[in-house]
Amino acid sequence: MFHVIGRRSAPVTRLLASRGGVLVESVRGRKSRGDPVAKSKEGRIKVPPPVDPREMVVLKDRYTEYQLILKALRLEFREEVLRKKFEEETGSLAEERARQDAEEHRALMLWNQEENLRLLKARVLRVQKEEEEAERLKLEAVMKLEQQQQEFIKLKEKQVLQLQEEAKNFITMENLDQRIEEALDHPKNYNFAVDKEGRVVRKTVLQ
Amino acid sequence: MPRYELALILKAMQRPETAAALRRTVETLMERGAVVRNLENLGERLLPYKMSKHNQRHTRGSYFLVDFYAAPSILNELLDHLHRDVDVVRPTVLKKEEQVSTSICCGAPR
């Protein structure tokens, strides 16, 4: 009738369970609410268990004493734990440790600052050098461009001069006849023969 | 202006007629605004194959080379004109490239 359960599946009553009690449910057994009483239980009167008053008194005294002692012990232990925790957090040693931590932190921050300064200096120097380098390269590029342009101009001038020279030999209306006569008198031969040794022969038979 | 070369094959004729044909050609060129640079004669020789032009079969011809500077727009008309000329067997206009200075690159190493 009374089942010990772990999970609460039915309405549960705590019977005599002020401390660490096992939860017992008052589950109606096989019979439900409206079922009639069994024949064998007809005249049954529920009687609480008999109690001997003198025994009860003695027992009650002993129980109170016992419970007192146990409660005291428990409180003692709890207090010890709390004290330890408190000491851990805010005791003198803790203060000392906190102070040391703060000190260390400060020292490290200082060191970090110095490192930053050092790196900053290095970076500034490096950046400056790079800028200078870039400037130099740019200037060089400009110079090179200039130079190339100059060279180009020179080349073109040379070509123009050469063309002017050659222009003296061009054919115009005046020397047309003369040139034609000249060309007809001097036939030009571009044919030649070469062998593997590189000997060149220009005299060929014109058919 | 770009530079062209006219490789002209004229009919095998007597000297005065050849001279006249050449003069005619060069004058045509100059009329169209070309600047004639040089005129070369490669001789009168046997043609590589028999060519028929203007209802005549040619076996021999005289080769001439004319370099000139001209605008590209005149070439079509020029070629038309030369094709119509009876004394001209074959006119060919070629473009002359700028001579890149080739050093001793292609020769066989000794």
Side-chain angles (χ1 to χ4, degrees):
Chain A
M1 206 159 83
F2 296 110
H3 304 285
V4 176
I5 47 162
R7 296 243 160 239
R8 300 176 194 200
S9 53
V12 153
T13 22
R14 280 181 177 267
L15 302 175
L16 301 170
S18 62
R19 45 155 188 105
V22 171
L23 283 181
V24 171
E25 50 167 294
S26 60
V27 169
R28 293 198 80 105
R30 268 180 351 102
K31 291 184 180 239
S32 109
R33 197 190 287 232
D35 289 341
V37 175
K39 243 195 339 191
S40 60
K41 301 277 184 298
E42 256 176 12
R44 187 167 174 263
I45 301 167
K46 279 204 286 200
V47 189
V51 170
D52 188 11
R54 295 157 75 128
E55 190 197 357
M56 185 53 116
V57 166
V58 170
L59 271 182
K60 268 211 168 12
D61 277 337
R62 286 194 194 169
Y63 265 127
T64 40
E65 200 184 326
Y66 172 70
Q67 278 165 7
L68 189 78
I69 295 169
L70 281 188
K71 194 152 180 108
L73 279 173
R74 275 193 210 109
L75 285 177
E76 278 287 335
F77 293 146
R78 207 179 294 170
E79 197 205 330
E80 195 184 324
V81 164
L82 282 176
R83 192 162 26 87
K84 273 211 182 100
K85 197 156 97 82
F86 182 73
E87 279 245 355
E88 178 73 31
E89 280 172 9
T90 57
S92 56
L93 280 175
E95 225 177 80
E96 184 73 29
R97 238 183 300 131
R99 203 170 51 74
Q100 273 180 353
D101 280 345
E103 189 66 42
E104 207 178 319
H105 179 76
R106 210 175 50 76
L108 284 174
M109 289 300 279
L110 208 65
W111 179 84
N112 189 26
Q113 186 90 346
E114 275 163 24
E115 269 294 306
N116 283 350
L117 276 175
R118 188 171 64 81
L119 288 175
L120 174 76
K121 283 195 193 95
R123 187 173 56 241
V124 158
L125 273 175
R126 186 167 31 93
V127 162
Q128 201 185 9
K129 276 208 184 66
E130 271 174 17
E131 272 176 17
E132 276 169 19
E133 190 68 29
E135 273 292 320
R136 196 173 60 80
L137 283 174
K138 209 162 68 140
L139 278 174
E140 255 178 46
V142 163
M143 294 261 292
K144 210 186 239 188
L145 193 67
E146 275 272 340
Q147 200 189 4
Q148 275 175 348
Q149 281 171 347
Q150 290 293 329
E151 270 175 28
F152 182 72
I153 289 172
K154 278 199 195 87
L155 186 69
K156 285 298 169 195
E157 274 180 10
K158 207 167 63 147
Q159 283 179 349
V160 162
L161 284 171
Q162 199 183 2
L163 200 60
Q164 276 179 346
E165 281 300 313
E166 287 172 7
K168 291 174 191 151
N169 294 343
F170 286 174
I171 300 180
T172 61
M173 282 298 171
E174 292 85 26
N175 52 11
L176 180 58
D177 288 317
Q178 187 206 345
R179 286 299 277 269
I180 290 176
E181 296 299 315
E182 215 181 289
L184 285 172
D185 287 328
H186 307 287
K188 196 157 181 334
N189 187 7
Y190 285 108
N191 301 328
F192 65 96
V194 189
D195 70 353
K196 278 196 270 197
E197 267 78 56
R199 289 175 291 192
V200 172
V201 165
R202 288 194 184 264
K203 187 153 172 267
T204 60
V205 172
L206 197 59
Q207 296 167 5
Chain B
M1 276 201 287
R3 203 169 140 171
Y4 295 100
E5 193 171 69
L6 171 61
L8 195 62
I9 309 183
L10 291 178
K11 204 165 84 165
M13 298 177 288
Q14 300 299 322
R15 195 177 157 123
E17 286 155 8
T18 320
L22 279 172
R23 197 195 162 88
R24 227 182 1 211
T25 313
V26 173
E27 270 171 12
T28 315
L29 273 173
M30 291 168 94
E31 264 167 43
R32 279 159 223 254
V35 174
V36 181
R37 203 181 146 109
N38 196 10
L39 169 58
E40 281 166 10
N41 175 14
L42 304 178
E44 187 190 308
R45 43 187 305 159
L46 214 60
L47 296 175
Y49 41 86
K50 297 195 203 130
M51 302 180 195
S52 309
K53 198 85 176 157
H54 304 296
N55 292 326
Q56 274 183 332
R57 201 119 156 102
H58 302 278
T59 315
R60 297 181 68 86
S62 42
Y63 286 75
F64 290 94
L65 214 54
V66 187
D67 334 324
F68 58 98
Y69 290 113
S73 45
I74 65 165
L75 292 181
N76 269 338
E77 307 164 14
L78 180 69
L79 278 173
D80 280 342
H81 182 274
L82 287 169
H83 279 301
R84 272 186 236 115
D85 190 343
V86 184
D87 291 330
V88 165
V89 173
R90 187 167 295 186
T92 314
V93 175
L94 305 163
K95 192 148 154 247
K96 239 194 154 88
E97 301 290 341
E98 302 302 329
Q99 254 114 12
V100 185
S101 61
T102 45
S103 50
I104 348 156
C105 63
C106 308
R110 292 250 155 206

